[in-house]
């Protein structure tokens, strides 16, 4: 037996323990170890029943995801013999009790379902999250789960990929018993109780598989739901097909179909992209020059300056994590408005079932409104979220320096301004950092953490850790104009407007990008965020623009006639009273007129050109940000775009997407745009270099 799996015996009950920290993934050696243990249990007459348990803090989090990459890149010959192992367990003559704590995910749940009984602690979670990796369960999960939980539950779990709690698993029939107290002791006692009963094979339990009349509407609804909620993703539909097979084919045939679908998904670009995202989300937490042991600053109380949309959202995020927060405004009316907004947002969350009223009541108590800086001396962290203007920010930071205790973190939520300049308004720049939340702050998962040149490692490490605590994904970026996300977003939006000025319609641009997978088209995003925001920033920075370079003018001209977007009822689109977008032919006429005045020839523009111009504008600027060291790794950019800008996760992020298309192809297309559209399309030096070296963005890591 391997070190990864131990077999012990306790008075007639065998205990098989998997020890593959941190999550007991089914890495090479684990399935083999379990197989040997099962063979011994089967032939040992002194064993009456067995318990299989995970060592450490979890049962089994699934197959080892790292192995998938090796398999699809041909670096490993496979070895995914999990289905055969699960049949061996199911065929064992002694009853096997699966004892679950932590998570039983993916192959972990499939392993658990091959046992004859399952017991779990209340905090355990069970799920088939494979679709989130672009695959489907590959070890008969789609065949055994409907046999235990019924078709509707199995379809939901396999297609959505969301885990369920042990108590729900009990009522669904996936587990047999909830155990309070010590899991192993309880599981061994349970095993003694059922030791002499006949074994029940999950694969033979057909009573929950339903009839075609019952199942047809379930599958139809699941497919509709998947097409809507997981737009563009292949795996959820494949998972539904596989569960449907369980209702139509004998177990063995169903397994064959599942395996084929699993393999198709595994070798798809979508799965490779989503696996990149899985590891990327963990990678961004690792900062090369900040060791894990860096001391953290305890954050027990916080304060937010500014109760506008962003400030209010940030206060909610902190309160939701249990951190008491002062919320400061300059006058009562603004404070009341901010609080009313917070209450409205919480009420909407209760209505949607995201929070209970009791939870909201507790959180509201944690938000303390104030008009003064008086209590700021206690705050461990202050986040400034006032109007975006350097002079005002400097004033606030000078004041914060006067009132805050030494060592308090002074953060700015600026999305564009220079953090070092803000930090210079205080004599403690080491405590100043950017925490760029995305709107709405209580919903969007991204937190860009902006490192100033003096920001201390403790402050950075604390903010990275805080991002986890408040349910965000923190990505560390350098201090350049627009940081990483908005710096790249600028040329993306610029291209979308250039395309309009060259003859594409608003709807054509937005629908091309929506069909590419973006959550919204770039022009609809502009209307949502307010076209005046970019207009003001452009005015502030106009003196920095190089003369003679083409500028996108249509958005600014819309602002000049008062069309700021949703908030004024009109921008690129018109809006009804429910803020529903309505195409506005007047905009096409206006843009055509302005373009004619500017002498821009009009032409037919293909969907492919729209996608290439917008996405490669992101990629080219991303390459510059990467080479200049403002992003640590290409994957950091990907995680920013997936979590802050609605880039489709199944494309892995802009840099991964470029790698998938092939940097040679991307470079050639950018050169073509450069020739046609001039200097703004000059290829990033890093892109050129990687093409010459036959490398990818993923091969490039800033040190
Ligand atoms: C599958 O099972 C297919 C089957 O149908 C079989 C087909 C034949 N593999 O998330 P954390 C690493 S597909 C390899 O920070 P937490 C992770 O990268 C699989 N590594 O901890 C990290 O490494 P590092 C289906 C894995 O406590 C470390 O473990 N299962 C795996 O916040 C700690 O992870 C899933 O999709 C893995 N399966 O959360 C479950 N899982 O420290 C994926 C984790 O070097 N996992 N690692 O950065 C999770 O959802 C979370 O990790 C879990 C723990 C909730 C378990």
């Amino acid at each position: 037996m391997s070190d990864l799996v131990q077999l012990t015996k306790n008075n007639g009950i065998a205990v098989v323990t998997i020890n593959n920290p941190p999550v007991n993934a089914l890495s090479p050696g684990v399935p083999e170890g379990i197989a040997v243990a099962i063979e011994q249990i089967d032939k040992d007459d002194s064993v009456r029943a067995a318990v299989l348990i995970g060592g450490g803090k979890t049962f089994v989090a699934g197959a080892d995801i790292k192995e998938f990459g090796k398999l699809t890149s041909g670096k490993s010959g496979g070895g995914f013999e999990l289905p055969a192992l699960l049949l061996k367990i199911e065929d064992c003559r002694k009853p096997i009790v699966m004892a679950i704590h932590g998570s039983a995910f993916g192959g972990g749940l499939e392993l658990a379902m091959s046992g004859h009984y399952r017991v779990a602690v209340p905090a355990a979670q069970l799920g088939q999250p494979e679709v989130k990796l672009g695959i489907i369960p590959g070890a008969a999960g789609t065949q055994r789960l409907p046999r235990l939980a019924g078709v509707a539950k199995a379809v939901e779990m396999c297609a959505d990929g969301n885990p369920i709690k042990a108590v729900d698993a009990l009522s669904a029939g996936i587990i047999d018993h909830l155990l309070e107290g010590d899991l192993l002791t309880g599981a061994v006692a349970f095993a003694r109780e059922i030791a002499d009963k006949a074994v029940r094979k999950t694969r033979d339990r057909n009573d929950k598989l339903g009839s075609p009349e019952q199942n047809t509407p379930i599958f139809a609804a699941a497919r509709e739901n998947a097409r809507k909620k997981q737009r563009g993703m292949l795996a959820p539909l494949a998972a539904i097909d596989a569960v449907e097979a369980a209702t139509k084919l004998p177990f063995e045939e169903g397994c064959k179909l599942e395996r084929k679908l699993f393999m198709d998904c595994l070798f798809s670009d979508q799965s490779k992209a989503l696996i990149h995202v899985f590891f990327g989300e963990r990678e961004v937490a690792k900062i090369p020059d900040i060791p894990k042991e860096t001391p953290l600053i305890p954050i027990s109380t916080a304060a937010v300056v500014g109760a506008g949309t962003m400030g209010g959202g940030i206060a909610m995020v902190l309160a939701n994590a249990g951190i008491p927060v002062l919320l400061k405004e300059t006058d009562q009316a603004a404070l009341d408005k901010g609080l009313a907004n917070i209450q409205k947002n919480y009420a909407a969350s209760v209505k949607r079932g995201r929070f209970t009223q009791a939870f909201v009541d507790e959180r509201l108590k944690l938000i303390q409104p104030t008009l003064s800086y008086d209590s700021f001396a206690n705050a461990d962290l202050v986040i400034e979220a006032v109007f975006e203007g350097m002079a005002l920010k400097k004033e606030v930071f000078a004041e914060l320096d006067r009132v805050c205790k030494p060592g308090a973190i002074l953060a700015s939520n600026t999305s564009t301004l220079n953090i070092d300049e803000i930090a210079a308004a205080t004599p403690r720049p080491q405590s100043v950092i950017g925490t760029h939340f995305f709107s709405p702050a209580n919903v969007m998962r991204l937190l860009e953490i902006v490192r100033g040149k003096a920001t201390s490692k403790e402050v950075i490490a604390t903010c990275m850790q805080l991002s986890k605590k408040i349910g965000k994904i923190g990505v560390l970026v350098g201090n350049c104009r627009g940081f990483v996300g908005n710096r790249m977003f600028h040329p993306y939006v610029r291209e979308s407007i250039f395309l309009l000025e060259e003859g594409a319609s608003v709807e054509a641009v937005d629908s091309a990008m929506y069909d590419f997978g973006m959550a919204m088209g770039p022009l609809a995003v502009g209307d949502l965020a307010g076209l005046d925001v970019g207009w003001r920033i452009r005015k502030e920075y106009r003196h920095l623009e190089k003369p003679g370079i083409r500028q996108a003018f249509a958005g600014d001209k819309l602002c000049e006639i008062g069309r700021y977007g949703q908030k004024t009822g009109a921008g690129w689109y018109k809006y009804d009273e429910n803020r529903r977008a309505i195409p506005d032919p007047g905009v096409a006429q206006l843009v055509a007129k302005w373009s004619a005045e500017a002498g821009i020839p009009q032409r037919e523009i293909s969907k492919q050109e729209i996608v290439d111009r917008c996405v490669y504008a992101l990629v080219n600027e991303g390459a510059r940000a990467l080479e200049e060291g403002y992003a640590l790794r290409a994957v950091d950019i990907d995680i920013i775009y997936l979590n802050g800008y609605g880039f489709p996760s199944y494309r892995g992020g802009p840099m991964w997407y470029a790698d998938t298309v092939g940097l040679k192809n991307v470079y050639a297309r950018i050169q073509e745009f450069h020739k046609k559209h001039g200097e703004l399309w000059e290829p990033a030096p890093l892109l050129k270099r990687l093409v010459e070296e036959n490398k990818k963005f993923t091969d490039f890591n800033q040190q």
Side-chain angles (χ1 to χ4, degrees):
M1 194 151 324
S2 69
D3 288 350
L4 299 166
V5 180
Q6 280 92 43
L7 174 63
T8 53
K9 279 176 231 160
N10 174 344
N11 209 5
I13 305 297
V15 175
V16 182
T17 310
I18 302 173
N19 275 312
N20 185 24
V23 296
N24 290 329
L26 297 164
S27 317
V30 176
E32 293 82 345
I34 299 173
V36 172
I38 297 296
E39 278 158 21
Q40 292 188 7
I41 289 165
D42 212 13
K43 63 182 181 221
D44 185 339
D45 288 339
S46 72
V47 174
R48 295 168 56 219
V51 168
L52 190 149
I53 193 167
K57 60 180 182 145
T58 194
F59 183 67
V60 170
D64 186 335
I65 302 167
K66 286 193 279 302
E67 293 299 311
F68 293 147
K70 289 188 205 156
L71 186 68
T72 51
S73 61
K75 287 183 191 140
S76 116
F80 285 98
E81 295 315 322
L82 209 48
L85 168 68
L86 303 192
L87 289 175
K88 189 189 275 278
I89 295 172
E90 210 168 34
D91 287 339
C92 182
R93 290 173 303 127
K94 321 287 171 64
I96 315 271
V97 178
M98 299 288 175
I100 302 168
H101 66 316
S103 11
F105 284 174
L109 179 54
E110 291 172 307
L111 171 67
M113 291 191 293
S114 73
H116 307 112
Y117 296 89
R118 283 150 295 281
V119 297
V121 295
Q125 302 230 47
L126 296 89
Q128 298 286 178
E130 286 88 343
V131 288
K132 295 186 193 256
L133 300 169
I135 54 175
I136 68 164
T142 61
Q143 307 303 299
R144 285 196 179 90
L145 191 53
R147 287 175 160 84
L148 288 178
V151 174
K153 193 77 194 161
V155 171
E156 183 191 313
M157 288 176 69
C158 294
D160 293 356
N162 295 325
I164 61 170
K165 294 187 185 125
V167 61
D168 298 327
L170 179 68
S171 55
I174 303 170
I175 62 171
D176 302 288
H177 190 56
L178 265 190
L179 278 175
E180 304 281 350
D182 182 66
L183 175 63
L184 180 58
T185 313
V188 168
F190 184 89
R192 269 187 220 298
E193 269 174 43
I194 50 88
D196 299 317
K197 294 194 178 148
V199 293
R200 319 175 294 169
K201 296 182 189 179
T202 306
R203 66 176 192 264
D204 293 341
R205 293 167 67 174
N206 294 334
D207 53 305
K208 286 194 176 177
L209 289 177
S211 65
E213 296 72 43
Q214 289 165 322
N215 293 335
T216 305
I218 294 175
F219 292 120
R223 287 190 175 101
E224 198 187 322
N225 199 38
R227 286 196 183 101
K228 225 187 279 164
K229 294 207 176 129
Q230 291 145 295
R231 184 167 57 92
M233 287 183 60
L234 305 171
L237 294 169
I240 298 166
D241 289 349
V243 177
E244 189 171 31
T247 66
K248 293 188 168 162
L249 301 172
F251 179 81
E252 224 171 90
E253 295 301 311
C255 287
K256 272 192 203 149
L257 185 87
E258 180 201 77
R259 176 110 305 220
K260 183 193 172 305
L261 293 168
F262 168 78
M263 286 312 231
D264 289 349
C265 287
L266 185 63
F267 280 85
S268 70
D269 282 346
Q270 291 200 355
S271 165
K272 289 174 196 158
L274 287 161
I275 289 174
H276 159 74
V277 174
F278 175 84
F279 287 114
E281 287 192 348
R282 284 146 185 91
E283 183 81 4
V284 293
K286 296 167 191 154
I287 313 298
D289 71 327
I290 301 186
K292 265 212 248 141
E293 347 20 274
T294 304
L296 300 176
I297 300 164
I299 306 288
S300 356
T301 62
V304 173
V305 186
T309 313
M310 287 312 288
I314 296 169
M316 287 172 75
V317 165
L318 293 165
N320 291 348
I323 302 171
V325 55
L326 290 166
L327 181 62
K328 184 191 172 298
E329 253 305 340
T330 43
D331 65 76
Q332 193 62 48
L335 193 55
D336 291 345
K337 190 171 163 209
L339 285 171
N341 256 337
I342 290 176
Q343 270 152 356
K344 198 175 94 193
N345 286 337
Y346 271 134
S349 298
V350 172
K351 207 166 154 200
R352 280 199 307 271
R354 188 171 166 227
F355 294 144
T356 62
Q357 189 57 50
F359 176 89
V360 165
D361 292 343
E362 283 308 309
R363 303 304 122 174
L364 280 169
K365 274 189 222 151
L366 292 176
I367 301 176
Q368 198 193 323
T370 177
L371 290 174
S372 82
Y373 284 109
D374 286 353
S375 312
F376 271 51
N378 294 327
D380 303 303
L381 161 76
V382 181
I383 301 178
E384 163 278 309
V386 301
F387 189 75
E388 197 77 342
M390 183 54 89
L392 178 61
K393 303 254 179 201
K394 282 183 172 171
E395 240 174 68
V396 170
F397 273 76
E399 187 60 33
L400 291 178
D401 177 54
R402 270 190 290 279
V403 296
C404 293
K405 64 184 174 192
I409 297 177
L410 308 183
S412 172
N413 180 51
T414 180
S415 54
T416 47
L417 300 175
N418 186 329
I419 284 293
D420 290 330
E421 205 180 327
I422 296 174
T426 77
R428 41 168 132 171
Q430 72 282 0
S431 298
V432 177
I433 192 163
T435 48
H436 177 206
F437 287 82
F438 285 69
S439 186
N442 53 319
V443 176
M444 297 294 286
R445 217 173 145 225
L446 178 64
L447 179 62
E448 248 187 347
I449 297 178
V450 189
R451 179 179 201 161
K453 63 173 185 279
T455 313
S456 76
K457 292 185 178 177
E458 290 76 10
V459 168
I460 295 170
T462 305
C463 288
M464 292 299 292
Q465 208 236 10
L466 179 77
S467 65
K468 258 195 203 146
K469 184 167 176 190
I470 60 177
K472 304 282 172 210
I473 181 142
V475 183
L476 187 68
V477 297
N479 177 31
C480 58
R481 188 170 150 198
F483 313 127
V484 170
N486 283 346
R487 170 181 170 160
M488 291 167 61
F489 199 61
H490 174 71
Y492 170 76
V493 173
R494 177 199 74 205
E495 283 309 310
S496 71
I497 301 176
F498 280 170
L499 287 158
L500 295 183
E501 293 169 359
E502 290 164 31
S505 70
V506 168
E507 296 74 38
V509 171
D510 272 357
S511 68
M513 294 315 296
Y514 182 79
D515 292 348
F516 174 78
M518 299 299 290
M520 288 170 86
L523 302 164
V525 171
D527 274 0
L528 177 69
L531 298 177
D532 56 318
V533 180
W535 180 43
R536 286 212 182 91
I537 295 168
R538 278 189 293 280
K539 281 200 280 191
E540 186 162 335
Y541 284 111
R542 193 137 290 159
H543 63 287
L544 297 177
E545 304 290 358
K546 226 165 129 189
I549 302 261
R550 180 177 171 189
Q551 301 286 344
F553 53 77
D556 292 355
K557 281 192 177 288
L558 278 188
C559 289
E560 284 163 19
I561 55 170
R563 296 183 68 128
Y564 290 178
Q566 289 195 17
K567 59 183 157 191
T568 56
W572 296 114
Y573 297 87
K574 279 190 292 198
Y575 292 89
D576 66 13
E577 59 288 355
N578 297 317
R579 292 204 168 194
R580 248 192 311 259
I582 305 160
D584 185 349
V587 170
Q589 285 163 9
L590 281 172
V591 177
K593 177 174 154 279
W594 295 329
S595 298
E597 285 162 10
I600 299 174
Q602 303 292 288
R603 63 192 172 88
E604 282 284 316
I605 297 178
S606 70
K607 197 166 175 172
Q608 190 61 50
E609 178 176 347
I610 294 172
V611 170
D612 289 353
R613 293 261 301 266
C614 293
V615 178
Y616 295 163
L618 281 179
V619 172
N620 206 30
E621 195 60 35
R624 287 184 207 282
L626 187 59
E627 183 165 34
E628 290 163 16
Y630 293 108
L632 277 168
R633 297 150 289 224
V635 70
D636 292 50
I637 297 178
D638 289 335
I639 298 302
I640 287 175
Y641 262 77
L642 299 175
N643 293 285
Y645 295 86
F647 202 92
S649 56
Y650 60 82
R651 295 198 191 269
M655 309 315 272
W656 179 266
Y657 172 72
D659 277 350
T660 309
V661 173
L663 291 193
K664 222 170 98 193
N665 302 326
V666 174
Y667 181 59
R669 193 81 164 126
I670 288 181
Q671 279 181 311
E672 196 186 315
F673 295 150
H674 187 205
K675 234 186 248 159
K676 241 192 240 164
H677 304 288
E679 203 174 321
L680 288 169
W681 273 104
E682 185 165 351
L686 175 64
L687 179 60
K688 181 168 183 282
R689 199 173 93 217
L690 291 176
V691 169
E692 283 162 2
E693 291 171 2
N694 201 17
K695 285 189 177 155
K696 296 178 166 193
F697 283 126
T698 37
D699 298 323
F700 177 84
N701 276 334
Q702 269 290 349
Q703 291 312 307

